[in-house]
Amino acid sequence: MIQIHARYLPCLTRTDHNEATENLMLDRKFVLANLPLIERNIADRRSRPVDVALFADLEHQRLSIDKQLQQLRTETKALSRERTPDAALRGRELREQEKALREDLAETTARANELLAAIPNLTHPSTPIGGEDDGKVVGRSAVQPREFDFPIKDHADLASELGILDMAAGSRVAGAGFYFLQGEGVLLELALQRFALDRAIAEGYFPQIVPELANDSTLKGTGYAPRGDESNTYHIENEDLNLIATSEIVLCGRYADQVLEAAHLPIKLCGISHCFRTERAYGRATRGLFRVHQFNKVEMVILCRPDDSEELHQELLQIERGIFDDLELPYQVIDIASGDLGAPAYRKFDIEAWMPGRGDGGQYSEVTSASNCTDYQARRLNIRYKAEEGKRQPVHTLNGTALAVGRAMIALLENNQDALGNITVPNVLRPYLGGLNTITGTSIPRQ
């Protein structure tokens, strides 16, 4: 029997504004004290340029203004004890100066915060330096790519001919990049989803069906751009809401401004959701299910002590590898290069499954990722824990794809096809499909 533990769900206390400000200050101090490191890291990650020198100037201005405010308040407090006309006049002057300084402080802080928010996370020392094609292969499956003795088809043709996928109908109702799964395709999708969920639960991840909308602050806190040219999300017009690109966003966001008990860490969650992405790729790369605007995903998220995050990152990767090992699909593991990390990730591993119908003669393509975001998201969302010495410190957050169902389905269909265009169901999925061994498109009557 699968055991589900929810012991950590009530272990929250609400933070106050002063503590939130102090937590943010720690991050500012690090950046200010390590400007060359920050500039080099931005260059290595090929991130959008950030004027780090301007941030330093603004931060020095902010600190100077804040110091002046403290001095004014001290003088004002001392004057309040005097009951003379001169003291009253001086008090009014000080209050006017304080008002002007508060306005300057707010403007300077806002400008500094905008730059601070654009600075990406630091990068793991072992991460390869380079762009999208410079990731390093650090592991492979025991299963080797299959040698076919008949002309193969890609997943789009296979699924269409089996009657389990209708891209044309999806385009008619919602536009390119949407689709209908039907018949045995629906059952296969649900089988994959439940299989991945069961594996995550068995490893101690608490299942969640999550909201599929999130406000701007939650997206920003997790490192996603809710609007603008860099956004890959759908924004709801006239609302402070966005369709989520992954349940990671809301699984982290649910703990915003909370203080967690150290004894209850790590918190391990498993989110089931639809995911929505605008996706700007064109051409053959978008054929079929590979790059669509809506798909289902089972996502794992961890909140933990900083000392535990590297070990838990490996745990996420091993769970992902175990899922694809049991599906008997060939894959390779990539240590993603610095220029392809994305702002929140300190280090990221991708699993690329072999897709024999993709490209010219087949290719490995991404099906999962596992990222250690260290304290990058936690600082922005103000998620902390009570450390042993009593100090409240940011947690580390990690995320990993148990299964992005559409891409897993691509690999499954293409690797398991036979000469008749039918699909052999992996042994591990057959219990979820009522013992069905082969997908032929005829198990469910067509309309």
Side-chain angles (χ1 to χ4, degrees):
M1 180 181 294
I2 295 172
Q3 298 293 318
I4 299 176
H5 300 283
R7 59 180 173 77
Y8 44 75
L9 290 180
C11 65
L12 308 174
T13 56
R14 191 83 182 176
T15 190
D16 61 51
H17 176 72
N18 290 334
E19 289 175 331
T21 302
E22 179 185 4
N23 182 49
L24 189 60
M25 283 291 290
L26 294 172
D27 193 33
R28 312 178 87 95
K29 289 178 180 178
F30 179 85
V31 173
L32 200 59
N34 295 275
L35 295 178
L37 171 65
I38 298 300
E39 289 178 325
R40 184 171 66 252
N41 185 59
I42 291 171
D44 286 345
R45 295 173 72 106
R46 303 184 181 181
S47 302
R48 178 165 56 92
V50 181
D51 194 335
V52 177
L54 177 58
F55 168 77
D57 289 342
L58 290 168
E59 190 63 8
H60 286 305
Q61 291 177 39
R62 189 187 69 80
L63 293 170
S64 176
I65 295 169
D66 189 60
K67 183 177 180 180
Q68 293 175 59
L69 271 172
Q70 297 303 322
Q71 292 171 344
L72 278 178
R73 287 166 184 161
T74 300
E75 187 176 351
T76 300
K77 185 176 180 180
L79 279 171
S80 66
R81 302 188 187 96
E82 300 182 21
R83 307 295 181 185
T84 66
D86 287 345
L89 178 61
R90 177 59 178 161
R92 285 194 296 272
E93 292 174 351
L94 291 177
R95 285 191 292 274
E96 290 176 0
Q97 291 177 35
E98 183 178 344
K99 179 182 177 182
L101 283 173
R102 283 201 307 268
E103 291 173 353
D104 287 347
L105 180 61
E107 180 182 351
T108 303
T109 301
R111 293 176 63 198
N113 283 347
E114 184 177 355
L115 292 169
L116 185 63
I119 296 174
N121 201 353
L122 297 177
T123 306
H124 192 281
S126 299
T127 293
I129 303 302
E132 182 178 356
D133 298 326
D134 296 314
K136 180 181 178 183
V137 177
V138 293
R140 294 187 184 275
S141 60
V143 176
Q144 298 299 312
R146 175 183 169 191
E147 294 289 338
F148 292 90
D149 58 4
F150 56 86
I152 66 169
K153 300 174 183 177
D154 72 5
H155 76 282
D157 287 339
L158 284 165
S160 177
E161 291 173 14
L162 287 167
I164 64 175
L165 175 68
D166 193 333
M167 300 294 297
S171 295
R172 284 196 296 273
V173 300
F178 293 92
Y179 57 93
F180 282 85
L181 276 179
Q182 50 199 30
E184 291 167 321
V186 175
L187 303 184
L188 180 59
E189 163 111 11
L190 294 174
L192 283 164
Q193 188 176 126
R194 185 56 196 267
F195 164 66
L197 179 64
D198 285 352
R199 289 305 172 90
I201 291 172
E203 296 293 336
Y205 290 76
F206 189 65
Q208 318 264 298
I209 292 178
V210 304
E212 294 178 351
L213 290 166
N215 56 36
D216 284 3
S217 63
T218 301
L219 262 70
K220 290 176 182 176
T222 47
Y224 290 81
R227 311 185 197 193
D229 293 340
E230 295 187 2
S231 176
N232 193 27
T233 59
Y234 286 101
H235 178 72
I236 308 301
E237 189 175 3
N238 300 322
E239 298 285 349
D240 178 26
L241 288 171
N242 311 269
L243 292 170
I244 63 171
T246 168
S247 60
E248 166 204 346
I249 294 169
V250 287
L251 289 174
C252 290
R254 69 173 295 168
Y255 293 98
D257 298 322
Q258 307 293 330
V259 179
L260 311 175
E261 295 293 339
H264 294 105
L265 295 175
I267 293 174
K268 298 181 179 182
L269 307 174
C270 181
I272 307 166
S273 74
H274 296 95
C275 301
F276 303 89
R277 301 185 183 181
T278 57
E279 297 289 8
R280 295 184 175 87
Y282 298 94
R284 185 171 174 80
T286 66
R287 178 170 164 77
L289 296 173
F290 189 80
R291 201 173 294 281
V292 290
H293 298 306
Q294 176 185 329
F295 60 95
N296 291 324
K297 184 153 69 101
V298 181
E299 179 80 358
M300 299 175 289
V301 164
I302 300 174
L303 293 84
C304 68
R305 297 182 182 88
D307 290 346
D308 296 333
S309 66
E310 295 238 23
E311 180 180 348
L312 289 168
H313 192 197
Q314 291 297 322
E315 175 182 296
L316 287 172
L317 178 60
Q318 293 310 311
I319 292 171
E320 293 176 358
R321 294 189 68 169
I323 287 171
F324 278 84
D325 284 336
D326 288 344
L327 289 172
E328 302 176 68
L329 293 172
Y331 65 80
Q332 61 185 16
V333 181
I334 306 296
D335 192 351
I336 295 298
S338 57
D340 198 30
L341 280 176
Y346 174 66
R347 192 180 195 185
K348 182 168 80 165
F349 297 106
D350 279 0
I351 289 180
E352 296 181 343
W354 177 251
M355 299 180 183
R358 187 166 168 80
D360 297 323
Q363 65 184 48
Y364 286 100
S365 296
E366 178 194 347
V367 287
T368 76
S369 65
S371 299
N372 183 357
C373 297
T374 62
D375 61 358
Y376 184 88
Q377 294 173 323
R379 286 187 178 278
R380 292 163 176 252
L381 291 168
N382 193 34
I383 310 172
R384 291 171 298 154
Y385 75 103
K386 295 178 183 177
E388 285 74 8
E389 62 274 17
K391 189 174 182 180
R392 296 179 177 185
Q393 298 179 359
V395 299
H396 278 195
T397 61
L398 303 95
N399 62 81
T401 313
L403 209 67
V405 183
R407 291 197 177 182
M409 193 178 293
I410 294 173
L412 190 155
L413 294 174
E414 293 186 356
N415 282 285
N416 292 349
Q417 63 183 292
D418 64 22
L420 298 176
N422 298 321
I423 309 300
T424 301
V425 177
N427 290 329
V428 74
L429 291 183
R430 292 178 184 180
Y432 296 95
L433 288 165
L436 183 68
N437 295 336
T438 307
I439 294 174
T440 62
T442 59
S443 296
I444 297 178
R446 303 185 194 180
Q447 295 182 349

